[in-house]
Structure formats: structure tokens, C-alpha cells
Amino acid sequence: MSRRTALQSLLGVVGMGMILPRSSYASVIRPEQYKEKVKITRLETFLIKPRWIFLKIHTDAGVVGLGEPLLEGRALTIQTAIKEIEPYLIGKDPRQVIHHWQAIYRHAFYRGGPILTSALSGIDHALWDIKGKLLNVPVYELFGGPTRDRVRVYGRASSADDMKKRLSEGYKTIKTGVAKENPARIVENPKFIQYAVDNFASLREAGGKDMDIGIDFHGAISPQVSKVLIKELEPFHPMFIEEPVQAQNVDVLADIAHGTHLPIATGERIFTKWGFREILEKKAASILQPDLCHAGGITEGRLIAGMAEAYYVPIAPHNPMGPISLAAGLQLAASIPNFLVQEQVSLGEGYLKKPFKLEKDGNVLVPTGPGLGVELDEKQIAEKIGHDWKNPETYDPRDGSVVDW
């Protein structure tokens, strides 16, 4: 066959593809799973103990999408936000995930912020779940995955005894906090520094050199104290220093990052790709921790990961939430090349029909079921509906002033 003949044949095939009716395209991708017309019929939210919100988006195809639109301590606010978004979604085709993301975000006029993006995040989870279920593939397949078949997760420990328990459970990665007897002041004394360092040293000794241990300053340490504390922690090789200062203080965060060889991590209180842009541009962190319940869902998480990859920065999703959020994180981890580690506090026991399992190597296997790959155990969930969880109100016992938690 000549080059010209081959090219004409190829163009003919492409041309046929371009003029095929939509029904023909649908027939190529499992018509029994992907109906020509699908409409959203209703949205349901449930407050779930201990402090979560679960979302169900129903369709006329009988497929239900799951999401987790959490904003800790503001559950009723998020429920209201979703109720306000619901009229836009009713009657729409759920498969236009990115179009709906744009409409919900941009038509709000006052863009961004934790309320809008947290509500939008849970909706985004559920829409991807529906799309994957209709196509009978995991969400990561829709992003060209998988890039891996297992995902490293981390647990928590605050003492040597905790560390030994996590080791026995199979964890290879741990996160801890800054040990302190009283809240950190703007300028601290050597006793405060030594107490925190000694605690971390005990974790290192109990966990051994094979254990990766991150330490979370939680944005509750001043820049003055953070610099001193980080320097003293360097000999014990923390995996990362999380939120050494308030994340919105990007210039100071960058100053700290440039002054240590330890990886600086941040992101749980940063929203959308626009929020992460400045952090990347100023090299204020070498690990990004977008929260898929706050930052804009799987859609935005994938874009943030792409931006981070261009700066050679890995992604370690923040997730002190429930199993639907974890499932979303696993889908993201399975679809990006620059994944580092996934936070979790629940593998789904008591919530999912098939909870995730921590393997002996400290990983969780990537789910292979359609959509997010999880199914709620409705019977067990019925016993956990309703909560009134509030953010802690913390004060310095020495003078009664407000402190971060």
C-alpha cells in the first residue's frame, strides 16, 4: 500500500468517526452501562459520626454517586451550600463533570473559599463515581491510569507506645504532632524546644530508621519558634514538616523552606489550583497536601498534581476524614506519577461493605471496582447518622488568650 493510499484510508476512518452519530459512539463504550440520556434526580446529605458528611447523588439510571463534602465544624453550613447548588444539578447529565465544576464554581460570583470548594468537592467525588459506574471502570481509568497498584498510607502516633502499636499493625509511615505541655507562644524557651525534640526522638527510637515519620506543626507555631524547632529536629530526619506556619503566610513559609534541607509540606487549608500556584512559584513547599474534600475534589486534585509535577513536587493528600474521601484519594494516587503518601484515619470498618485493608508492606491496594470502588454498608451507617461535632475552642491556660488547635 502506498503512503498516499494509507493516509487516505486513515483519514477515511477518522472522518467516519467524526460523523458517527452519538448513539454509535455510545455503542462502543458498553451501551448497557452508559445510557444515551442520564439525568440527576436528587441530592441527599447525611451527617455521619464522628464528624463527617456523606453525599448521595441519585440518577434516573438507578446509579448513585457517593461523595464526602466535609468542612470540619461546619457540617450544617455545607449541607445548606449543597442544598443551594442542588437546583442547578437537577435534570443535568452527571457525566459532564468538569463542565459542572466550572458552572458551580464560576457562577457563584464570590469564588473559592472553604465553603464553596468543600461543597463542590463532595459533588465532584459523586459525579466521577457515577461516571465510572456507568462505564463500569474505576475513576483512575478515566484519567489514563493506573500508575500504581498500591498506595502507601500513614497512621498516627504521639508516643513510643503508639509507635509500637502502629508497627504491629503494619504501618511503615507515621505522622505526629509537636509535643508540648502548654500552647506554643510567639517566642519560646529552651524547655519547650527540648520537650518537643525529646518526644520526636523517642518516636524515632521506637520506630527505627526504616519508619518514615512526618511531624505536623498545624500552623500553630510562630515563625520564630518554627525555625528553632526545625533546626533541632534535623538530626532525627523527619519525613516532612507540615504547616510550620499558617499556610496563607506564603512568603514566610518560603523563607522557612529555603532555610532547611527538610521537606516542607502544606496544603490542607489551600483551595483550588489558584491557591497552590503561589506556593509552587515561590518554592514555599516541597510536598503539596491538597485535601480532596476541600480543594475542589478529584477534578482539581488532578490539576494541582499536574502543576506540582512541573515543579518536581510530590503530592501527599490530606485526609483526616471518612472512607469515601479515602477512596477519592486512592483514585487520585492511582492516576498521577508524583504521588508520595496518603493520609487516612478510617479504612472504612463499620462504614463500607468491603473496608480497605492495610497490607503488610504498609500499603492499601488500589480498588478495582467501578467509580470510586466503594459501597456503603447501609445497615451499619444507619447507626451512625447524626452528629454535632464542633471545632475545639482552645485557650492558653496561663492567660486565657485564644490559641490555634
Side-chain angles (χ1 to χ4, degrees):
M1 182 182 291
S2 69
R3 180 182 296 179
R4 175 176 294 181
T5 304
L7 181 60
Q8 289 174 339
S9 298
L10 177 61
L11 290 175
V13 172
V14 172
M16 287 177 64
M18 293 177 66
I19 63 173
L20 278 174
R22 188 171 180 180
S23 59
S24 297
Y25 172 73
S27 68
V28 177
I29 50 177
R30 301 174 183 266
E32 71 278 10
Q33 299 290 338
Y34 207 63
K35 292 178 62 177
E36 179 64 22
K37 294 182 180 179
V38 182
K39 292 182 180 180
I40 296 170
T41 56
R42 62 192 174 102
L43 280 67
E44 283 186 291
T45 56
F46 307 86
L47 271 61
I48 302 292
K49 291 181 176 67
R51 62 176 189 174
W52 307 329
I53 300 176
F54 288 174
L55 166 69
K56 292 181 179 180
I57 296 184
H58 297 262
T59 69
D60 63 355
V63 174
V64 178
L66 301 177
E68 198 167 331
L70 181 66
L71 183 60
E72 298 93 315
R74 296 291 183 270
L76 299 180
T77 304
I78 294 302
Q79 279 192 309
T80 301
I82 289 173
K83 197 67 179 175
E84 290 171 341
I85 295 169
E86 184 179 27
Y88 162 76
L89 287 170
I90 297 298
K92 298 289 197 312
D93 188 328
R95 295 169 293 188
Q96 296 178 275
V97 183
I98 294 175
H99 176 74
H100 296 322
W101 196 103
Q102 290 287 321
I104 293 168
Y105 186 83
R106 293 165 62 186
H107 290 164
F109 186 73
Y110 295 100
R111 300 178 182 180
I115 296 172
L116 174 61
T117 57
S118 295
L120 177 53
S121 294
I123 290 169
D124 186 78
H125 301 162
L127 294 181
W128 280 116
D129 191 30
I130 291 169
K131 192 175 185 79
K133 287 173 177 175
L134 288 170
L135 289 169
N136 198 31
V137 296
V139 169
Y140 59 75
E141 290 288 359
L142 304 177
F143 288 115
T147 56
R148 55 184 47 81
D149 62 6
R150 60 195 61 231
V151 173
R152 179 163 57 147
V153 299
Y154 64 77
R156 283 176 169 74
S158 58
S159 67
D161 287 342
D162 289 343
M163 179 64 80
K164 292 173 184 177
K165 290 177 183 177
R166 300 295 90 79
L167 277 167
S168 67
E169 292 165 356
Y171 286 99
K172 307 296 183 184
T173 310
I174 289 295
K175 187 167 80 173
T176 190
V178 176
K180 49 189 182 290
E181 295 176 306
N182 285 304
R185 295 172 294 193
I186 294 174
V187 176
E188 268 300 349
N189 55 43
K191 181 183 177 182
F192 177 94
I193 301 297
Q194 194 62 52
Y195 187 88
V197 172
D198 287 346
N199 182 78
F200 192 88
S202 71
L203 294 175
R204 171 58 70 206
E205 182 178 2
K209 293 183 178 180
D210 289 341
M211 178 65 77
D212 288 317
I213 312 172
I215 180 168
D216 187 359
F217 286 22
H218 218 235
I221 308 294
S222 72
Q224 296 89 332
V225 177
S226 280
K227 288 185 175 183
V228 176
L229 188 53
I230 289 170
K231 184 177 180 180
E232 295 299 318
L233 286 169
E234 285 179 352
F236 302 99
H237 301 288
M239 183 184 187
F240 55 77
I241 307 292
E242 180 176 341
E243 280 201 329
V245 295
Q246 284 289 321
Q248 294 81 8
N249 202 355
V250 179
D251 287 327
V252 173
L253 190 64
D255 178 54
I256 289 174
H258 300 165
T260 180
H261 62 266
L262 297 178
I264 299 300
T266 194
E268 68 179 87
R269 288 184 272 190
I270 305 297
F271 315 111
T272 75
K273 66 181 85 66
W274 294 285
F276 283 92
R277 180 182 61 185
E278 184 183 7
I279 291 171
L280 289 168
E281 289 175 346
K282 293 182 176 179
K283 299 179 175 62
S286 51
I287 298 172
L288 294 190
Q289 301 171 300
D291 189 312
L292 300 190
C293 288
H294 302 320
I298 299 171
T299 295
E300 203 69 352
R302 185 65 184 84
L303 295 173
I304 293 165
M307 291 168 60
E309 184 186 359
Y311 286 83
Y312 304 96
V313 170
I315 300 295
H318 175 262
N319 175 41
M321 272 74 86
I324 299 174
S325 174
L326 175 59
L330 297 178
Q331 297 295 328
L332 178 67
S335 66
I336 62 175
N338 55 328
F339 169 78
L340 181 66
V341 67
Q342 171 71 53
E343 181 175 15
Q344 60 80 36
V345 297
S346 170
L347 294 176
E349 190 71 39
Y351 298 91
L352 302 180
K353 287 187 175 180
K354 292 183 179 180
F356 296 107
K357 178 185 176 183
L358 184 68
E359 302 295 317
K360 292 181 180 179
D361 58 4
N363 294 316
V364 168
L365 297 179
V366 173
T368 57
L372 294 179
V374 294
E375 187 177 356
L376 295 178
D377 187 324
E378 300 290 354
K379 184 176 181 181
Q380 293 194 72
I381 289 229
E383 302 170 356
K384 300 178 177 68
I385 290 180
H387 70 76
D388 58 356
W389 191 89
K390 305 292 184 185
N391 287 311
E393 297 178 1
T394 51
Y395 304 91
D396 192 325
R398 293 164 294 194
D399 64 6
S401 60
V402 174
V403 294
D404 295 313
W405 65 279

